[in-house]
Amino acid sequence: MAREYPWHRRRTCAPRGRAADPGEGAGTLGNTGFGPVGGGYPPGVTSTTDQQELFRFLEDRFACAQACTECARACALRASLMDPDGTEEQELVRRKGIMCAEVCDATCRVLSEQNCLDEEGIRVQLEWCRSVCLECAHVFDRYPGTEDGAKACRECAQACSDFIATLV
């Protein structure tokens, strides 16, 4: 079931070189995060219900980032165990594992840092991660001993799908 979060469509970061609040200027704390927060944070979050939805959104985002981290770890480990001078199948497993680890790591960073990406940018990153994870899982399925890596890839792909559903 998709959750609708009213604040996540807004871009909460200001363009480079400008304060987040046009009213901020000299003599204020600027965009340091130490000034007074009016009207809720993110903007528009004021009621208890909105705060609970924000907590659920952040929990969903964290769960996805955590699945991406686990997948990156499993894929990097699997890739490191493959012989670089091995068969074509071993080389394919190694390349897919490295690619999946890199994409999952990048996705985790997008989800865990305040990087100012809008909803569409996050959605594109999540869809890319999901696609690469599923592709990697299919390659891992064909090679014995890679079951844990394939499982981590599928769990990450599912977490990405679940979080994409909250961005609707």
Side-chain angles (χ1 to χ4, degrees):
M1 172 160 53
R3 293 184 187 139
E4 183 69 23
Y5 302 107
W7 63 86
H8 75 272
R9 282 186 171 49
R10 297 182 204 136
R11 186 179 178 103
T12 58
C13 296
R16 289 185 190 259
R18 291 189 25 209
D21 180 0
E24 292 178 348
T28 67
L29 294 174
N31 192 17
T32 63
F34 295 106
V37 178
Y41 182 79
V45 177
T46 55
S47 72
T48 303
T49 303
D50 285 346
Q51 289 174 354
Q52 289 171 346
E53 289 174 356
L54 174 61
F55 292 143
R56 280 194 302 269
F57 174 78
L58 292 173
E59 286 173 348
D60 292 347
R61 188 172 175 146
F62 178 75
C64 186
Q66 192 172 18
C68 289
T69 299
E70 287 300 315
C71 185
R73 184 198 57 75
C75 288
L77 176 64
R78 179 52 46 205
S80 72
L81 296 175
M82 291 290 121
D83 181 9
D85 299 321
T87 65
E88 282 186 36
E89 186 68 19
Q90 287 176 327
E91 178 60 21
L92 179 63
V93 169
R94 190 169 124 357
R95 280 187 292 115
K96 292 295 181 180
I98 291 169
M99 183 174 173
C100 191
E102 289 177 355
V103 171
C104 286
D105 182 58
T107 304
C108 179
R109 278 185 274 122
V110 163
L111 294 173
S112 62
E113 296 174 0
Q114 182 68 25
N115 59 11
C116 300
L117 274 182
D118 61 3
E119 177 185 333
E120 189 57 31
I122 292 172
R123 180 187 311 281
V124 167
Q125 182 71 36
L126 290 167
E127 288 173 351
W128 182 37
C129 186
R130 177 180 60 189
S131 173
V132 169
C133 284
L134 290 175
E135 188 177 320
C136 188
H138 291 303
V139 170
F140 283 1
D141 285 340
R142 298 190 313 241
Y143 196 82
T146 59
E147 295 82 12
D148 289 343
K151 181 179 180 233
C153 288
R154 284 192 176 82
E155 288 173 355
C156 182
Q158 184 61 53
C160 287
S161 293
D162 292 346
F163 191 63
I164 287 170
T166 69
L167 299 177
V168 175

